[in-house]
Amino acid sequence: MSRLFAVSNRVADPVGGKAAGGLAVGLLAALKQYGGVWFGWGGKIRQGDPSDPTIVRRGNISYATIDLFESDYDDYYNGYSNACLWPLCHYMLGFFRYERRFSEAYRKVNALFARKMLRLLEDDDFIWVHDYHLIPLAAELRRAGVTNPIGFFMHVPFPNIDVLRTLPDHLDILRALTCYDVIGFQTHNDVRSFTEGLAREGLLQARLDDGRFRADGREITVRAYPIGIDVDGVFRMASRSVRSATVSRTIEGLQGRGFIVGVDRLDYSKGLPERFRAFEQLLARYPETRNRLVFMQIAPPTRTGVRAYQDIRRELEQMAGHINGHYAEPDWVPIRYLNRGFSRSILMGLLRAANIGLVTPLRDGMNLVAKEFVAAQDPDNPGALVLSSLAGAAAELEEAVIVNPYDSEGMAEAIQQAANMPLDERRERHASMIDTLRRHDIDAWRTQFVDALQQSRG
Ligand code: ADP
């Protein structure tokens, strides 16, 4: 049977397996089913020549990792990936920074990935590449003569062509994507942005049936494969963890007050200042909420090498201090801002304990926290989800209270609506969201993508 050769910027820790997010869980399940290799950067920086991959074998999976040079890492990861592509894909042009050396490092690192993969590839392997860090990888592999089926999944949104054109080498990005056999996006909207982009740049020759296209001389499959979660797994973990010492103490400390929770990486695309402002609006406009609600925001720092991430951290600290300073009482602090990570189990327990989940990114490919919040709830007495219309998850979770994340007053109203939602309505909304989550769970995501990739072998 063919092996799966999965590639992502970072590879999950084969030993600890800690903080397994959606990508890691989905990929690991696929790798266990087919056996294979997970290839990527191991998280180490080195000075000398690039080394050969370090390989750790666990069961039928080989974890193959390489090191990167410091300067390449900086320009490829902090530069092109996170100061060019990330802000563009999230429609946040104010954060876009471009330098030519970023493009060079991006291509160089992708070429390095391709070179180091060659020795590990077998003729029958099917290759599945993940995310925006590795768009040119198929082009590099094709150049080296690789003819295996290669699939690509984009975890973040794909921008409209007028936004993508901000990038000086945007044509290279579009062309590089046409070197894949199957390209998966989170939503139909992303599929449309990509295929329209190809058409507007003269790269689309024909729309065939069933998500197939002829582009830049090749036949490609382009479809939406919305990433899901392990619904029962999250439910079990949340049910157990809500009784743990940490979560029980948190619930006791609320003394019967309503509990609002937000869990995000500290990223400017997550709309955290707007969310804090919405909570402030709520306290100002609805005085009855004071001393009745507690908002806990968990936001561990990420990408600390990028300036914009240092700025947002400072901004949030100031806002939390300001709001708490203004509204707190001797026995109540309105915002609990936790600028650090927690175990997945504690997070799921806190989601379960919450009456309201606030998931309000300014733009998000999917947003798994929204799905985890729904799956974590007690179906007999579920909390309400307040969800951004600009998260991919909103295309599926229509029964959430949908908000525009730029509209802090609208969000304050939505929180008030969620806080006063009758039990019957909460149950109904929750039941239909759970149905959707089950239909598009993590198994459906990987199975459908891998099937399409295997069929592309022809
Ligand atoms: P993004 O991929 O942009 O960070 P998502 O919401 O799609 O956003 O995925 C985040 C994943 O990481 C979720 O599975 C979430 O539970 C997990 N996560 C978020 N914060 C933490 C944290 N502090 N510790 C461990 N896991 C976290």
Side-chain angles (χ1 to χ4, degrees), residues 166-241:
T166 310
L167 194 62
D169 51 0
H170 71 278
L171 268 180
D172 295 343
I173 291 292
L174 283 173
R175 283 220 170 89
L177 282 166
T178 64
C179 295
Y180 289 93
D181 298 294
V182 179
I183 305 160
F185 292 102
Q186 298 277 23
T187 67
H188 293 292
N189 206 26
D190 301 309
V191 170
R192 216 169 16 244
S193 294
F194 174 59
T195 53
E196 271 177 26
L198 289 178
R200 294 257 305 271
E201 294 297 352
L203 294 171
L204 191 70
Q205 280 98 42
R207 288 172 192 269
L208 311 170
D209 59 351
D210 201 20
R212 288 177 318 116
F213 297 82
R214 177 156 283 283
D216 211 20
R218 298 188 74 252
E219 199 170 294
I220 57 177
T221 298
V222 186
R223 289 203 197 112
Y225 299 93
I227 193 165
I229 58 168
D230 169 8
V231 180
D232 293 325
V234 168
F235 179 78
R236 275 196 302 273
M237 187 183 273
S239 311
R240 217 176 311 125
S241 163

Side-chain angles (χ1 to χ4, degrees), residues 27 30 43 69 88 137 154 180 188 198 217 221 234 275 285 297 305 424 455:
L27 255 187
F69 286 123
L88 276 193
L137 188 57
M154 183 83 161
Y180 289 93
H188 293 292
L198 289 178
T221 298
V234 168
R275 193 181 301 173
R285 287 178 51 186
Q297 177 63 53
D424 283 353
Q455 277 161 25

Side-chain angles (χ1 to χ4, degrees), residues 21-22 86 263 265 270 300 341-342 344 347-348 367-369 372:
W86 179 271
V263 174
R265 280 183 307 103
K270 300 292 183 185
F342 289 88
R344 191 166 165 75
L347 287 183
M348 296 306 120
N367 198 296
L368 291 175
V369 173
E372 290 163 349

